[in-house]
Amino acid sequence: MSQYRLSYLEQLESESIYIFREAAAQFDKPALLFSGGKDSITMVHLARKAFAPGKIPFPLVHIDTGHNFPEALEFRDKLIQKLQATLIVRKVEDTIRIRKLTEPKGKFPSRNWLQTYTLLDTIEEFHFDCCIGGARRDEEKARAKERVFSVRDEFGQWNPRLQRPELWNIYNGRIHKGENVRVFPISNWTELDIWNYIRKENIELPNIYFSHEREVIEYEGQLVAISDFILPSVEDKVVTKKVRYRTVGDMTCTAAIESNAQSVEEVIHEIVATRISERGATRIDDKVTEAAMEDRKKNGYF
Amino acid sequence: MDLLRFITAGSVDDGKSTLIGRLLYDSKNILADQMDALERSSKNRVNGSVDLALLTDGLRAEREQGITIDVAYRYFTTSKRKFIIADAPGHIQYTRNMITGASNASLIIILIDARHAVVEQTRRHSIIASLLKIPHVVVAINKMDLVDYSEHIYNEIKNEYSTVAVQLGLEDVTYIPISALNGDNIVNKSSAMEWYHGKSLMKYLEELETGQDVNMADARFQVQLVIRPQAEHLHDYRGYAGKVISGIYKKGDKVKILPQDTDTTITAIEIDGNEVEHAVFGQSIVLQLADDIDISRGDFIVKTDNLPTLSREPEILLCWLDDKPLIRGNKYWLQHNSRVVRIVIKDVKYKLDVNTLQRHPAEEDIKLNEFAAATLKISTPLVFDSYTRLKENGNAILIDETSNSTVAAVLLQ
């Protein structure tokens, strides 16, 4: 901050803290959706700042697809311990078993779509009336049109045509019983903003965000890590490369990028120079149709 | 580096989406894969060249119908600034979207099609800009390529609009002749219009001085929530969390709690649990006070020598945002930042025509997209400033008690 003007990162931070506090004040049972990625970790950092010196006044909820990076899980557990926060984990695997859902097939069997079922069940189980998520409007076209306080009907569905106008800094979180609100405190941040903030605040991240050697399959121009969930077939080209992850979702739907960036500073340089967007480089799940994200959101996805 | 939020407004086909696409593209904020996707969808449609408008039309219905339904937010960064664009649709029925997008903007780009000059929607958008007190206006005269880059036509439109600007009291108006389609005067100065000596649009956006837009004189702080950690070492801790709406707060300031009307002193200002000496406009902070007073969400902490207005019957100007009309005598919730109170619309004084600024008797219901002046009735006094003086503390929304929808934008008078 110069004498009396906030820098853009300070403005973004303050706005996010304001939104966190609105969520905590307006709802009976909020929850913070935690995926283990850098956006989630930044969200937790912001939430901690919003309520300091008190603790984060709501639980963190992880919808676990079972396809996580082990590094991300390990990091999650250490973070929770450090913050003395409450963590609720609900597994997609259990939902598949109980609801007799059909497991996705194919080369990259992503359970991403099925997460919606587990999320909606978890909302019902704990009577959450507000789920705070780390979606950013710059990620994807359908997200660019979503409100900060986004009302979902009792089926968890988003109706883009019936969104409430959201004016000034006023967030209308009034809902009927059974409905819930998704709150997105970092709506106005970009990938670069997140990294600049991580640098400014010295936020710790799982090491898979930085350059490391890994065995990957080269598939249609994307590098997919070999794991328990993705096994190479005969025709696959398996190579060992220096890679890092730009986003961390499931091992089945997140691709790595080739990178030598070992520090936050180097990652920022890399992002500034890149010509490929975050989701474009790394998400195997968005490419199905042009409106893939819009369809998932309408069905109750994050 | 700071942050500038702006909105683009124009009628259908004035080229708003193309302009935004152009700003993103020429400032290298569109990446290769997004461009590929754009080329793919441009080919799915009929016209041959890449359609920059597709960048902002995010929903399927929008792409199918070639229209923009909802406010979309776009982000780009240059070496000078981070920008947030609210892209609001131009259709008449979507005035509410423009108000939504404009509510946080400190600048508006009003697009005028050089072939059609100032049209009804230009006036409407300008009136809304003046009502919402957007401090800076850029009149971007677009499609100059279709009028042979004529200086004469530019000057005619400029003169015509100046009259509108004077009528509306718009103070800072800048005119830029552009072609969003071809990129003339967007990032680089156009060689086709050497008669134009001003800045390119991007240079103007990067260099605009916004320091004076901030109100440092009137200190306002509203409590969002009370922090009471249930921890041993913080047993008696009570902190009042909120965002500084305007002005500056310092440790030791004599303050008044409103509407209770109790005086006390600030004993500490905290950010992230650490004490700071002062806090300014825009910062999210926690205040600690000398006395144990019953303070809850929505209450104000202001300096004793500079007080806001308190009223049980505030006068307002509203814009109706809902399909269901305003019903006189109905009760609504009024949300003023973090404070929610029940109100009755006691009296609708007149309807304001946003095309002419004329006042009409409000005999019928107030419908979607209409402006009206009204008097409210509240059981406890509302603590506010007039929108004209301090817009951050002069705005509110009305919420329908039964549907929970946000039904009106409110400017407190």
Side-chain angles (χ1 to χ4, degrees):
Chain A
M1 188 177 82
S2 66
Q3 185 66 24
Y4 294 124
R5 294 292 298 274
L6 304 186
S7 74
Y8 89 98
L9 278 179
E10 288 169 320
Q11 286 184 54
L12 289 177
E13 178 195 58
S14 181
E15 177 183 86
S16 301
I17 288 176
Y18 181 83
I19 295 164
F20 266 113
R21 288 170 173 174
E22 281 302 293
Q26 289 194 32
F27 297 96
D28 291 332
K29 287 213 76 181
L32 174 56
L33 300 177
F34 183 81
S35 73
K38 66 178 189 318
D39 293 352
S40 277
I41 293 165
T42 303
M43 292 271 289
V44 172
H45 182 85
L46 288 163
R48 189 190 54 67
K49 276 187 130 175
F51 305 105
K55 281 194 231 165
I56 299 175
F58 36 74
L60 276 57
V61 171
H62 184 206
I63 303 301
D64 183 351
T65 58
H67 289 171
N68 302 290
F69 288 90
E71 295 92 336
L73 285 185
E74 204 179 298
F75 187 91
R76 176 195 76 187
D77 293 338
K78 273 205 298 203
L79 184 69
I80 297 294
Q81 203 172 24
K82 200 168 87 186
L83 290 170
Q84 297 179 292
T86 315
L87 175 71
I88 295 168
V89 180
R90 286 295 175 270
K91 294 184 191 289
V92 174
E93 223 160 81
D94 296 336
T95 317
I96 292 174
R97 205 186 57 242
I98 295 161
R99 293 191 172 274
K100 308 208 185 312
L101 304 178
T102 308
E103 274 264 25
K105 297 190 178 67
K107 178 136 191 92
F108 305 114
S110 171
R111 285 177 174 169
N112 206 311
W113 172 265
L114 297 181
Q115 280 185 86
T116 307
Y117 289 90
T118 315
L119 174 64
L120 297 181
D121 285 347
T122 311
I123 288 172
E124 211 174 295
E125 180 186 349
F126 292 93
H127 306 290
F128 291 132
D129 50 2
C130 162
C131 293
I132 308 167
R136 309 190 322 259
R137 285 179 180 147
D138 83 315
E139 281 179 278
E140 208 279 332
K141 287 203 277 190
R143 284 190 166 166
K145 306 221 161 174
E146 189 158 17
R147 304 290 186 257
V148 172
F149 271 42
S150 180
V151 180
R152 303 303 172 89
D153 64 18
E154 61 232 271
F155 303 104
Q157 297 177 102
W158 180 55
N159 186 343
R161 280 183 182 267
L162 289 179
Q163 298 198 86
R164 293 173 181 171
E166 201 161 69
L167 299 108
W168 298 292
N169 296 316
I170 308 174
Y171 299 105
N172 171 7
R174 302 191 82 83
I175 46 170
H176 294 110
K177 212 171 161 48
E179 294 173 336
N180 68 84
V181 177
R182 304 291 162 84
V183 170
F184 302 110
I186 55 168
S187 287
N188 286 327
W189 299 49
T190 62
E191 181 190 18
L192 189 58
D193 298 336
I194 295 280
W195 279 103
N196 279 325
Y197 187 70
I198 286 168
R199 171 171 61 180
K200 175 173 174 281
E201 298 285 300
N202 226 339
I203 300 172
E204 218 184 309
L205 291 182
N207 51 22
I208 47 176
Y209 279 105
F210 304 100
S211 180
H212 58 282
E213 283 199 346
R214 195 180 274 271
E215 272 203 309
V216 292
I217 304 172
E218 278 195 88
Y219 183 80
E220 289 183 359
Q222 292 189 307
L223 305 178
V224 185
I226 292 175
S227 64
D228 293 350
F229 324 111
I230 305 263
L231 297 168
S233 52
V234 218
E235 61 271 22
D236 283 328
K237 209 174 107 194
V238 177
V239 286
T240 302
K241 290 205 163 180
K242 287 201 105 172
V243 298
R244 69 173 201 89
Y245 285 88
R246 265 176 94 177
T247 64
V248 171
D250 283 354
M251 296 198 81
T252 51
C253 71
T254 317
I257 55 164
E258 278 198 85
S259 168
N260 287 317
Q262 291 181 343
S263 65
V264 174
E265 197 69 39
E266 285 169 12
V267 168
I268 290 172
H269 279 151
E270 191 184 276
I271 293 169
V272 171
T274 187
R275 303 300 303 142
I276 308 281
S277 76
E278 191 176 25
R279 293 193 86 86
T282 61
R283 298 311 283 245
I284 304 168
D285 49 331
D286 279 349
K287 292 199 172 164
V288 190
T289 68
E290 207 174 353
M293 175 67 88
E294 184 181 343
D295 292 339
R296 274 184 290 157
K297 281 187 103 61
K298 282 182 178 165
N299 279 298
Y301 187 70
F302 308 109
Chain B
M1 195 157 95
D2 65 354
L3 179 61
L4 182 73
R5 295 175 200 250
F6 67 93
I7 177 173
T8 52
S11 359
V12 186
D13 294 333
D14 275 352
K16 274 191 319 292
S17 298
T18 310
L19 173 68
I20 292 172
R22 177 57 70 181
L23 280 170
L24 299 175
Y25 183 69
D26 285 2
S27 61
K28 305 199 166 43
N29 279 278
I30 291 177
L31 300 171
D33 60 306
Q34 293 169 321
M35 201 62 202
D36 283 351
L38 203 59
E39 274 170 3
R40 274 203 305 275
S41 23
S42 298
K43 276 176 205 146
N44 289 344
R45 290 159 50 136
V46 270
N47 46 353
S49 64
V50 171
D51 185 355
L52 289 170
L54 289 177
L55 270 175
T56 58
D57 294 339
L59 304 172
R60 189 185 285 131
E62 295 176 318
R63 288 191 296 274
E64 283 167 3
Q65 298 164 33
I67 55 158
T68 312
I69 291 170
D70 209 300
V71 189
Y73 295 90
R74 299 288 151 193
Y75 306 84
F76 70 99
T77 308
T78 69
S79 56
K80 307 264 173 60
R81 267 200 169 126
K82 176 182 164 97
F83 296 94
I84 301 182
I85 316 172
D87 179 18
H91 318 255
I92 293 169
Q93 66 269 38
Y94 288 127
T95 291
R96 71 170 201 171
N97 286 330
M98 185 190 157
I99 291 175
T100 303
S103 69
N104 283 315
S106 42
L107 179 142
I108 180 167
I109 298 177
I110 295 178
L111 276 153
I112 294 181
D113 186 327
R115 298 169 304 172
H116 304 144
V118 176
V119 296
E120 186 182 312
Q121 296 217 32
T122 316
R123 266 178 228 284
R124 181 204 316 274
H125 294 149
S126 305
I127 287 173
I128 293 172
S130 77
L131 291 172
L132 289 183
K133 303 279 168 213
I134 301 177
H136 311 282
V137 178
V138 174
V139 178
I141 300 163
N142 192 22
K143 305 199 182 179
M144 288 299 291
D145 53 318
L146 299 182
V147 295
D148 294 328
Y149 298 106
S150 159
E151 182 181 8
H152 176 69
I153 288 179
Y154 165 79
N155 281 327
E156 270 188 353
I157 295 174
K158 186 173 164 179
N159 288 338
E160 193 187 352
Y161 191 88
S162 322
T163 321
V164 177
V166 169
Q167 280 169 1
L168 297 180
L170 298 173
E171 280 163 20
D172 181 21
V173 183
T174 304
Y175 301 86
I176 306 178
I178 63 166
S179 163
L181 194 65
N182 299 336
D184 291 291
N185 287 334
I186 304 297
V187 169
N188 299 312
K189 285 290 290 286
S190 166
S191 55
M193 291 180 273
E194 276 168 358
W195 47 263
Y196 170 71
H197 299 294
K199 293 174 183 174
S200 72
L201 179 60
M202 183 68 89
K203 195 165 159 63
Y204 171 84
L205 292 173
E206 285 187 325
E207 295 178 358
L208 175 72
E209 187 49 61
T210 55
Q212 324 85 284
D213 302 347
V214 175
N215 181 322
M216 281 302 186
D218 308 310
R220 302 286 182 263
F221 177 91
Q222 196 192 29
V223 176
Q224 272 188 285
L225 80 165
V226 183
I227 292 181
R228 265 176 301 183
Q230 309 296 321
E232 197 105 332
H233 62 290
L234 294 165
H235 200 69
D236 294 323
Y237 185 97
R238 271 174 88 89
Y240 302 98
K243 195 162 115 178
V244 181
I245 294 171
S246 58
I248 306 172
Y249 285 85
K250 292 191 177 70
K251 187 178 169 175
D253 279 344
K254 302 251 174 291
V255 290
K256 192 182 271 303
I257 313 303
L258 293 172
Q260 292 88 322
D261 200 10
T262 316
D263 289 358
T264 182
T265 306
I266 295 175
T267 51
I269 302 175
E270 291 178 355
I271 291 176
D272 192 17
N274 302 312
E275 259 201 77
V276 294
E277 277 308 303
H278 63 257
V280 301
F281 163 78
Q283 276 185 301
S284 285
I285 58 169
V286 175
L287 291 179
Q288 290 192 63
L289 303 173
D291 302 286
D292 215 353
I293 304 165
D294 186 17
I295 299 174
S296 48
R297 175 171 160 83
D299 293 343
F300 274 83
I301 301 177
V302 299
K303 295 194 197 173
T304 45
D305 58 0
N306 180 324
L307 299 176
T309 308
L310 266 80
S311 172
R312 279 196 178 85
E313 296 195 354
E315 308 276 317
I316 64 164
L317 184 67
L318 65 79
C319 175
W320 200 252
L321 308 174
D322 203 50
D323 292 330
K324 282 196 294 183
L326 178 158
I327 309 287
R328 264 168 264 215
N330 269 19
K331 294 191 182 73
Y332 295 92
W333 294 107
L334 176 130
Q335 185 171 353
H336 174 239
N337 292 318
S338 298
R339 180 136 193 254
V340 181
V341 289
R342 277 181 107 192
I343 60 108
V344 180
I345 296 173
K346 195 182 140 201
D347 179 30
V348 180
K349 293 193 292 192
Y350 59 86
K351 221 185 250 193
L352 189 70
D353 184 330
V354 279
N355 296 315
T356 60
L357 272 186
Q358 276 175 341
R359 297 174 178 190
H360 299 293
E363 283 145 6
E364 302 146 40
D365 290 335
I366 306 299
K367 294 190 283 292
L368 178 65
N369 295 324
E370 290 185 332
F371 277 82
T375 311
L376 306 181
K377 203 170 164 162
I378 316 173
S379 58
T380 52
L382 193 71
V383 179
F384 66 96
D385 292 274
S386 79
Y387 188 87
T388 329
R389 176 170 170 79
L390 178 53
K391 68 175 175 182
E392 290 80 3
N393 198 34
N395 60 59
I397 57 169
L398 294 184
I399 300 167
D400 185 303
E401 273 197 323
T402 54
S403 70
N404 290 327
S405 302
T406 300
V407 293
V410 172
L411 310 180
L412 293 152
Q413 302 296 295

